[in-house]
Amino acid sequence: MAVHTYSYFVIAAVIAARLDKATRIARHLSITASNARALAFRAGEGASGFRPLTDYIHRLADLTVSSSSRINHLASELSRTAAEKERAERALRHFVDVGKCAKGSPFIDSLQPVFDRTSQRQRELRDSYNNQIKLLTSELDTLEGELRAAGVLATMSRVEALQADGVYQQALNNVADNVESVTASIKKHIQSSQKLVQQLTQEFS
């Protein structure tokens, strides 16, 4: 159990670190969207189709920041639940050992109410842990689904950039390249976290 608990906290720390990186990358995406909006405005009518895309880039960045923050919070909650769950299970094992050693003692029955309360608490923590795992998985899956559209967004951005004058065309293409690169980096952290959550499920199910 100690090995599993240590492994869990290492995994939880890695998930939190990767989601923190995803959040910081998403903030850069938001800056990219702001720069792209200003650039499209300066490019004039030829880049009018690019402007709505900057709104979507902003929305994607905001969604990633808020989702990553929620997932980070969930990972922290899960860490605390696992620690309490481990303490409750360790206490139950201790009660069982005491019961075996003190079998026949006139006072052994006085421990039963405490044992029952600890057992109930352990069941509650186990259920909370399983629910938190499901919620964390759902949040990661939802964010990954939103990021799947990023490739289409980058392609549409390149198409719209072709409509702009030559002086702005390269700059708008750079925006598209940046969107593609940034979202790919975010997806990498999300998918890595999904694999780690699956590992947690296998270790603690």
Side-chain angles (χ1 to χ4, degrees):
M1 178 62 70
V3 173
H4 279 185
T5 301
Y6 175 74
S7 175
Y8 168 78
F9 285 113
V10 170
I11 292 171
V14 171
I15 291 174
R18 287 180 181 170
L19 266 297
D20 181 64
K21 288 181 180 178
T23 301
R24 285 187 275 121
I25 293 170
R27 291 195 177 105
H28 285 297
L29 185 61
S30 185
I31 294 171
T32 296
S34 296
N35 292 339
R37 181 178 293 167
L39 185 62
F41 180 79
R42 291 197 301 272
E45 192 62 29
S48 60
F50 201 95
R51 292 170 202 158
L53 296 179
T54 64
D55 292 333
Y56 184 82
I57 297 172
H58 260 300
R59 191 181 77 81
L60 183 64
D62 291 344
L63 174 69
T64 304
V65 169
S66 60
S67 294
S68 298
S69 297
R70 282 199 308 273
I71 293 168
N72 207 332
H73 176 73
L74 286 172
S76 297
E77 288 292 315
L78 192 61
S79 176
R80 285 191 286 271
T81 300
E84 289 186 50
K85 178 172 169 282
E86 156 61 10
R87 285 194 292 269
E89 289 171 349
R90 189 165 59 240
L92 288 175
R93 291 194 299 272
H94 182 67
F95 276 126
V96 171
D97 291 342
V98 169
K100 290 177 181 177
C101 294
K103 191 174 182 180
S105 169
F107 303 106
I108 192 64
D109 289 343
S110 65
L111 293 177
Q112 190 62 43
V114 181
F115 178 83
D116 291 341
R117 287 196 298 272
T118 305
S119 295
Q120 176 63 27
R121 180 58 178 159
Q122 187 274 337
R123 288 192 293 271
E124 292 171 354
L125 289 167
R126 181 193 59 205
D127 291 342
S128 293
Y129 178 86
N130 290 334
N131 289 334
Q132 288 167 357
I133 280 283
K134 291 176 183 177
L135 186 56
L136 185 59
T137 300
S138 176
E139 288 281 352
L140 286 167
D141 290 346
T142 298
L143 181 54
E144 186 196 21
E146 290 286 344
L147 291 170
R148 287 193 194 114
V152 177
L153 176 63
T155 300
M156 292 175 62
S157 297
R158 291 190 182 97
V159 170
E160 291 299 331
L162 292 173
Q163 310 304 314
D165 294 336
V167 67
Y168 294 107
Q169 194 173 112
Q170 185 58 51
L172 292 172
N173 270 319
N174 289 341
V175 169
D177 291 342
N178 194 25
V179 168
E180 188 172 52
S181 174
V182 166
T183 53
S185 295
I186 296 171
K187 282 182 67 175
K188 181 179 177 181
H189 291 301
I190 297 301
Q191 290 169 347
S192 176
S193 296
Q194 287 174 312
K195 291 178 181 178
L196 290 170
V197 171
Q198 290 175 358
Q199 186 176 337
L200 283 179
T201 304
Q202 293 168 359
E203 288 194 14
F204 289 89
S205 58

